[in-house]
């Protein structure tokens, strides 16, 4: 057999093993617990708000960019392994190249472009997601505390715009510019949760937050003790609940059902018990729920949290 023929035959096992390794890698990359139905969302749950698809699109785009970059890098590595192996060239030490300016410029400029594009889309979507309206349909103060959640529904349940006469002391720590979104005459009703509480329908632990479908809800997030994080899983976003600093965001639920929520910030020994449920219902059922809370005597508000710190007050002054 000719030397060239022996070289070709020796390459075949290497190529065969390479193809097998590539096939195995493809299987591992595509069989990570996602069914064909879940794959387009790449592990994300089904969105249940009008804002969530924007987050899902950013998530999918990031994965597409990462996959394209990975394919390029893997391709260059595999090409170098195959065409620059010593058994092929028979050269002990190949020619050394230094200061290749076009290549150095390429691997400097390309990552900058990739990061800049990702930054642009992230900043664009973040600005859109954090926009809040001056007069949303509903305002709810979410109160985080060790080890559960409370919900102040800042609603005019009795229909009288003259009550109350002044801001309740329980929510006085919330900045006035955020309270301006609360409807006139909102005396409010509340729900206080405990870790041992369970949703009566599905048995899931934690209190249940009710929301109306198709109407905008602005969440004002406050904490009584340490940093928590308000995360409704199918909202596809979460936000920190910080003592002495008030955060807020706004969503419009567009799908009825009961969904899971949890604290996404390690907040102490019973952090894992800070669970809650979100029940999205029709606007009529939502209003009836508020009346039911009032009938139970749960009118007014629970204490929202710690007063604004000086740093937070300064930030409020600058942005108001």
């Amino acid at each position: 057999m000719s030397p060239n023929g022996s070289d070709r035959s020796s390459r075949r096992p290497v190529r065969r093993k390479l193809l097998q390794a590539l096939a195995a890698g493809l299987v591992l990359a595509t069989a990570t617990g996602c069914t064909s139905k879940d794959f387009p969302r790449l592990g994300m749950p089904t969105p249940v708000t009008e804002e969530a698809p924007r987050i899902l699109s950013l998530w999918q785009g990031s994965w597409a960019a990462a996959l394209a970059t990975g394919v390029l890098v893997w391709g260059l590595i595999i090409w170098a392994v195959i065409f620059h192996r010593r058994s092929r060239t028979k050269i002990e030490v190949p020619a050394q190249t230094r200061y290749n300016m076009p290549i150095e410029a390429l691997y400097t400029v390309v990552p900058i472009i990739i990061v800049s594009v990702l930054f642009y889309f992230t900043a664009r979507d973040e600005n859109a997601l954090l926009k809040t309206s001056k007069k949303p349909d509903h305002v709810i103060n979410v109160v985080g505390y060790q080890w559960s959640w409370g919900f102040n529904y800042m609603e005019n349940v009795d229909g009288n715009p003259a009550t109350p006469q002044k801001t309740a002391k329980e929510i006085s720590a919330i900045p006035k510019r955020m309270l301006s979104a609360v409807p006139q005459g909102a005396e409010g009703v509340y729900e206080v949760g405990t870790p041992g509480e369970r949703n009566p329908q599905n048995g899931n632990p934690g209190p249940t937050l009710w929301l109306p479908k198709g109407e905008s809800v602005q969440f004002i997030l406050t904490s009584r003790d340490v940093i928590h994080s308000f995360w409704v899983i199918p909202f596809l976003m979460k936000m920190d609940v910080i003592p002495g600093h008030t955060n807020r965001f706004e969503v419009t639920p567009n799908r009825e059902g009961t969904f899971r929520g949890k604290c996404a910030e390690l907040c102490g020994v019973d952090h894992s018990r800070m669970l809650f449920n979100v029940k999205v219902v029709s606007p009529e059922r939502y209003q009836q729920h508020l009346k039911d809370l009032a009938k139970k005597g749960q009118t007014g508000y629970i204490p929202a949290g710690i007063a604004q710190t000086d740093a937070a007050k300064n930030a409020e002054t600058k942005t108001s």
Side-chain angles (χ1 to χ4, degrees):
M1 183 179 291
S2 66
N4 290 336
S6 64
D7 286 347
R8 282 195 295 270
S9 62
S10 64
R11 291 175 198 159
R12 287 171 187 163
V14 175
R15 291 178 179 175
R16 194 176 297 116
K17 291 179 181 179
L18 182 61
L19 290 173
Q20 291 172 351
L22 287 174
L26 184 62
V27 169
L28 288 173
T30 58
T32 55
C34 296
T35 65
S36 58
K37 183 178 180 180
D38 294 331
F39 183 74
R41 297 196 305 272
L42 298 169
M44 282 285 194
T46 302
V48 300
T49 68
E50 292 182 2
E51 295 76 14
R54 178 183 289 272
I55 302 172
L56 180 61
S57 177
L58 180 63
W59 171 258
Q60 292 168 324
S62 300
W63 271 101
L67 183 60
T69 304
V71 168
L72 175 62
V73 173
W74 298 332
L76 291 173
I77 291 174
I78 293 170
W79 176 80
V81 169
I82 294 175
F83 293 100
H84 291 280
R85 64 188 189 278
R86 191 174 71 173
S87 62
R88 179 176 182 272
T89 61
K90 305 299 183 183
I91 298 175
E92 185 69 25
V93 179
Q96 304 298 298
T97 303
R98 294 188 298 173
Y99 309 118
N100 189 315
M101 293 307 297
I103 292 179
E104 292 186 13
L106 179 68
Y107 65 62
T108 301
V109 171
V110 170
I112 292 175
I113 293 174
I114 293 172
V115 172
S116 299
V117 171
L118 290 174
F119 177 82
Y120 165 75
F121 285 107
T122 301
R124 182 200 66 179
D125 291 345
E126 183 180 278
N127 288 334
L129 291 166
L130 294 181
K131 281 183 179 179
T132 54
S133 55
K134 292 184 178 180
K135 290 297 178 182
D137 296 324
H138 307 278
V139 180
I140 299 176
N141 171 215
V142 176
V143 184
Y145 50 87
Q146 297 171 320
W147 310 98
S148 192
W149 302 87
F151 309 114
N152 284 325
Y153 296 91
M154 309 177 96
E155 305 273 6
N156 184 11
V157 182
D158 64 4
N160 185 355
T163 58
Q165 296 291 334
K166 59 181 181 179
T167 302
K169 65 178 181 179
E170 288 84 1
I171 58 173
S172 59
I174 298 174
K176 291 183 178 180
R177 71 181 183 92
M178 295 187 183
L179 290 176
S180 65
V182 178
Q184 188 175 3
E187 72 282 357
V189 290
Y190 66 85
E191 187 90 48
V192 181
T194 62
E197 189 174 346
R198 290 190 174 271
N199 183 282
Q201 290 182 321
N202 53 27
N204 289 339
T208 300
L209 168 66
W210 287 57
L211 301 177
K213 177 185 176 182
E215 298 182 352
S216 60
V217 180
Q218 190 172 122
F219 295 108
I220 297 177
L221 310 177
T222 57
S223 171
R224 292 182 188 172
D225 35 53
V226 299
I227 298 178
H228 303 283
S229 185
F230 181 68
W231 181 26
V232 182
I233 297 172
F235 282 11
L236 307 191
M237 71 172 291
K238 55 193 174 186
M239 185 171 285
D240 281 352
V241 185
I242 304 173
H245 183 89
T246 307
N247 283 330
R248 64 175 172 171
F249 70 97
E250 191 170 314
V251 299
T252 302
N254 58 9
R255 179 181 171 188
E256 292 190 16
T258 302
F259 310 102
R260 303 292 295 273
K262 59 179 69 177
C263 176
E265 183 80 24
L266 182 58
C267 56
V269 64
D270 280 337
H271 158 71
S272 62
R273 301 184 68 194
M274 282 197 66
L275 307 173
F276 63 97
N277 303 277
V278 173
K279 187 178 180 66
V280 180
V281 297
S282 66
E284 295 76 19
R285 286 193 67 193
Y286 174 76
Q287 292 297 333
Q288 184 58 49
H289 177 66
L290 300 182
K291 293 177 182 177
D292 292 340
L293 291 177
K295 289 179 182 178
K296 293 178 183 178
Q298 296 173 214
T299 55
Y301 304 110
I302 61 173
I306 299 171
Q308 295 284 89
T309 61
D310 290 338
K313 288 179 182 177
N314 293 336
E316 295 293 341
T317 302
K318 292 176 182 177
T319 57
S320 60

